[in-house]
């Protein structure tokens, strides 16, 4: 039997810190939590907010349940973001509140020995995925017992307090805290001189600083018009009303292909990062799908240039627009070089929130409704493995079920990939109206061809695109 996550009872929690929302939290609340008219939902009202993310870790071997509970409690006390909730001040301002304590009990359930663990089975065991960030715990741990020495640990954490980098921090901290609790010694973890809430206050102030003005000047130059829309269908995009039907497809890029991408970005004797070559390959696929030669991709960036942010759980992530111009005579080396330069410059100007860039551009230009980007890419290199619990073997399971769903997004394609064992593993989320299963399969096949193509420096873009499978445009209505 599954036991629900504990809910607060008795007096309200003691608040130890109050801060403005981080820019990332601000985007999330505006896009998914508020009503389409900008109003706040009432308590208990269904919202468009994405459900809580669930990580599933298979644990084979002896597990010290008491040490796990102590580790979870210590983790929640160490990382202030895990004790954070959303609050609305009387003047309507949204803030984050950090409580002194929140429920941290590890809930549990059992399954018969020999149960085949599937995403559906895990979904039935996990606490309900939909949460209200004003009232519900945004971090929860649930342990599924499969046998005396066989368990699945479900860790749930919401985007309101977490990004891709945070998951790597969570795994590292929880591993160290469990192993220390099991051995009866203090955990050897780096100190956290400042909290996520404190850095959110810094980010709020910096939006009005001279550094922000310099960043805005860069993005105005980089994103000056014209910015034509990528036309993925023969119809105009339907107005966004808050939810769209999307399909989620697993993606796996083999290690050999990733190695070739890294080699293509080589500088001297060092292999370069994978982001530039991957974005160059994706730009070719987007050109093939839309015929556009001005390609803009929203690259999710960690926004953790501050040294104090490295070891924190929190929602720091920002979006930078990578703009690439394509012409048939370009070589792969030239395109990869342009992509590497665009990524490098974006990282130098990563602090300015993308919503501030969009607002400033709309004030200074004739707004035609064209989005800054229609495709996003998240490449997470922070998380390199699963939990490392002494005496047990741990490996990640995929608790997510591919397929159709409704999502609060106007993005046409969303690529989320993690580096695992030198390869890339993740998902592609596409709008169903433009990308049916045959087109998604063709997209992934052409991306593979593009990645292999850009790894050969002398090949021209025309030669690489000539190797692609024809892109089947979706059927349109009468």
């Amino acid at each position: 039997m599954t036991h629900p996550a504990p809910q607060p009872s008795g007096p309200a929690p003691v608040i130890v810190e109050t801060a403005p929302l981080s820019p990332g939290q601000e985007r999330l609340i505006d896009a998914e939590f508020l009503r389409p008219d900008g109003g706040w939902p009432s308590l208990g009202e269904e919202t468009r907010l994405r459900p809580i993310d669930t990580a599933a870790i298979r644990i084979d071997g002896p597990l010290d349940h008491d040490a796990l509970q102590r580790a979870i409690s210590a983790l929640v006390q160490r990382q202030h973001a895990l004790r954070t909730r959303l609050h609305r001040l009387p003047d309507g301002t949204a803030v984050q509140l950090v409580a002194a304590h929140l429920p941290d009990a590890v809930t549990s359930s059992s399954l018969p020995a020999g149960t085949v663990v599937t995403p559906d089975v895990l979904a039935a065991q996990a606490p309900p995925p939909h949460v209200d960030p004003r009232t519900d715990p945004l971090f929860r741990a649930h342990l599924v017992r499969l046998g005396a020495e066989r368990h699945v640990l479900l860790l749930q954490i919401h985007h309101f307090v977490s990004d891709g980098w945070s998951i790597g921090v969570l795994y590292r901290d929880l591993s160290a805290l469990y192993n220390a609790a099991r051995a009866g010694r203090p955990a050897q973890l780096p100190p956290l001189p400042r909290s996520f809430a404190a850095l959110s206050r810094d980010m709020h102030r910096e939006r009005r600083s001279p550094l922000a003005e310099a960043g805005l000047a860069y993005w105005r130059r980089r994103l000056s018009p014209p910015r034509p829309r990528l036309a993925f269908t023969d119809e105009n995009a339907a107005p966004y009303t808050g939810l769209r039907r999307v399909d989620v497809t697993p993606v796996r890029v083999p290690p050999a292909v990733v190695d070739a991408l890294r080699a293509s970005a080589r500088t001297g004797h060092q292999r370069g990062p994978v982001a530039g070559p991957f974005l160059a390959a994706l730009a070719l696929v987007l050109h093939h799908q839309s015929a556009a030669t001005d390609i803009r991709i929203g690259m999710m960036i960690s926004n953790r240039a501050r040294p104090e942010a490295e070891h924190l759980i929190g929602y720091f992530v920002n979006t930078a627009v990578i703009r690439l111009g394509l012409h048939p005579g370009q070589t792969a080396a030239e395109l990869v070089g342009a992509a590497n330069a665009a990524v490098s410059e974006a990282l130098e100007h990563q602090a300015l929130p993308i919503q501030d860039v969009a607002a400033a551009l709309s004030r200074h230009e004739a707004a035609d409704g064209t989005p800054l980007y229609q495709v996003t890419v998240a490449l997470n290199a922070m998380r390199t493995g699963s939990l490392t619990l002494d005496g047990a073997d741990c490996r990640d399971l995929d608790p997510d079920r591919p397929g159709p769903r409704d999502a609060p997004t106007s993005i046409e394609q969303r690529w989320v990939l993690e580096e695992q064992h030198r390869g890339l593993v993740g998902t592609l989320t596409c709008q169903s109206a433009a990308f049916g299963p045959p087109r998604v399969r063709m997209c992934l096949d052409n991306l593979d061809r593009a990645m292999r193509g850009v790894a050969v420096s002398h090949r021209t873009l025309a030669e690489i695109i000539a190797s692609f499978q024809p892109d089947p445009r979706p059927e349109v209505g009468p």
Side-chain angles (χ1 to χ4, degrees):
M1 176 181 178
T2 302
H3 301 285
Q7 298 296 313
S9 59
V14 176
I15 302 303
V16 295
E17 198 166 8
T18 304
L21 301 187
S22 74
Q25 290 177 321
E26 183 182 284
R27 289 192 301 275
L28 184 71
I29 294 305
D30 286 348
E32 300 184 14
F33 183 71
L34 299 182
R35 299 191 188 109
D37 62 4
W40 278 64
S42 58
L43 289 177
E45 180 181 342
E46 185 175 349
T47 71
R48 297 168 292 134
L49 192 67
R50 280 174 286 172
I52 200 166
D53 286 335
T54 301
I57 303 98
R58 175 71 174 263
I59 303 174
D60 292 312
L63 181 66
D64 187 327
H65 292 234
D66 180 62
L68 178 62
Q69 177 59 70
R70 283 184 283 150
I72 292 291
S73 297
L75 175 69
V76 172
Q77 286 305 116
R78 170 178 166 81
Q79 296 285 354
H80 290 199
L82 302 184
R83 293 182 272 118
T84 296
R85 288 185 180 167
L86 172 68
H87 180 69
R88 186 188 188 192
L89 297 177
D91 66 0
T93 303
V95 296
Q96 51 180 313
L97 302 181
V98 182
H101 301 281
L102 281 181
D104 59 22
V106 180
T107 58
S108 63
S109 59
S110 298
L111 290 172
T115 299
V116 177
V117 178
T118 65
D120 286 334
V121 168
L122 293 178
Q125 295 298 305
H130 291 280
V131 299
D132 188 322
R134 296 169 295 185
T135 57
D136 297 329
L138 299 178
F139 172 70
R140 307 181 298 203
H142 183 85
L143 188 65
V144 182
R145 186 178 187 274
L146 301 171
E149 296 190 353
R150 298 180 66 194
H151 299 82
V152 174
L153 178 62
L154 302 176
L155 297 175
Q156 294 185 314
I157 188 167
H158 200 274
H159 269 303
F160 184 69
V161 294
S162 164
D163 52 22
W165 183 293
S166 297
I167 304 305
V169 174
L170 188 154
Y171 273 36
R172 183 206 60 195
D173 280 13
L174 184 57
S175 298
L177 291 166
Y178 172 87
N179 295 334
R182 190 168 179 263
R185 56 171 173 78
Q188 300 299 313
L189 285 170
L192 302 180
R194 305 187 69 204
S195 67
F196 171 63
L199 292 189
S200 295
R201 286 193 290 273
D202 289 350
M203 287 186 274
H204 185 72
R205 287 192 297 267
E206 289 167 4
R207 295 167 82 169
R208 296 160 181 81
S209 69
L211 187 62
E213 286 299 319
L216 184 55
Y218 166 79
W219 288 115
R220 282 182 186 149
R221 292 192 304 270
R222 185 72 180 168
L223 302 177
S224 59
R227 292 192 302 269
R229 178 184 288 272
L230 300 183
F232 292 113
T233 74
D234 295 325
E235 292 184 328
N236 293 327
Y240 178 53
T241 58
L243 286 174
R244 285 227 171 105
R245 194 69 169 170
V246 300
D247 277 277
V248 180
T249 303
V251 177
R252 182 176 295 273
V253 180
V257 176
V258 176
D259 286 345
L261 291 177
R262 289 193 187 284
S264 74
R266 189 188 305 272
T267 55
H269 297 290
Q270 299 295 320
R271 291 191 171 196
V274 74
F278 179 85
L279 291 168
L282 180 58
L284 291 177
V285 174
L286 298 176
H287 162 72
H288 188 59
Q289 292 171 340
S290 67
T293 56
D294 181 353
I295 304 295
R296 298 177 309 282
I297 301 170
M299 182 181 73
M300 313 305 289
I301 51 179
S302 63
N303 196 23
R304 289 176 182 252
R306 301 167 179 81
E308 314 100 294
E310 180 180 358
H311 303 298
L312 285 175
I313 291 174
Y315 196 37
F316 291 91
V317 71
N318 194 13
T319 306
V321 183
I322 305 301
R323 189 175 194 179
L324 297 173
L326 308 181
H327 63 81
Q330 273 181 300
T331 65
E334 290 170 337
L335 180 60
V336 170
N340 284 338
V343 170
S344 179
E345 290 179 9
L347 293 176
E348 291 176 12
H349 299 89
Q350 64 178 292
L352 188 64
I354 187 64
Q355 63 265 41
D356 292 1
V357 175
L361 291 177
S362 67
R363 287 195 301 268
H364 290 84
E365 301 171 4
D368 61 359
T370 302
L372 291 181
Y373 52 87
Q374 296 157 255
V375 175
T376 62
V377 171
L379 292 171
N380 180 23
M382 172 61 184
R383 183 175 150 204
T384 57
S386 187
L387 294 178
T388 53
L389 307 184
D390 290 345
D393 177 64
C394 302
R395 62 184 178 90
D396 285 356
L397 303 176
D398 187 359
D400 198 14
R401 291 167 289 181
R405 65 200 66 182
D406 292 325
T409 182
S410 60
I411 298 300
E412 302 270 0
Q413 296 180 19
R414 179 172 178 257
W415 301 79
V416 179
L417 299 170
E418 289 184 347
E419 294 195 42
Q420 295 183 7
H421 308 296
R422 297 180 17 249
L424 295 174
V425 178
T427 58
L428 167 61
T429 302
C430 290
Q431 289 197 21
S432 305
F435 294 92
R439 199 178 193 198
V440 170
R441 288 192 296 269
M442 199 67 68
C443 171
L444 295 176
D445 182 77
N446 286 338
L447 178 66
D448 181 75
R449 294 167 187 251
M451 289 187 292
R452 296 175 190 275
V454 300
V456 183
S457 61
H458 65 271
R459 294 193 72 186
T460 66
L461 304 194
E463 290 172 339
I464 298 171
I465 293 169
S467 72
F468 289 1
Q469 299 276 5
D471 178 59
R473 294 180 74 82
E475 294 183 2
V476 297

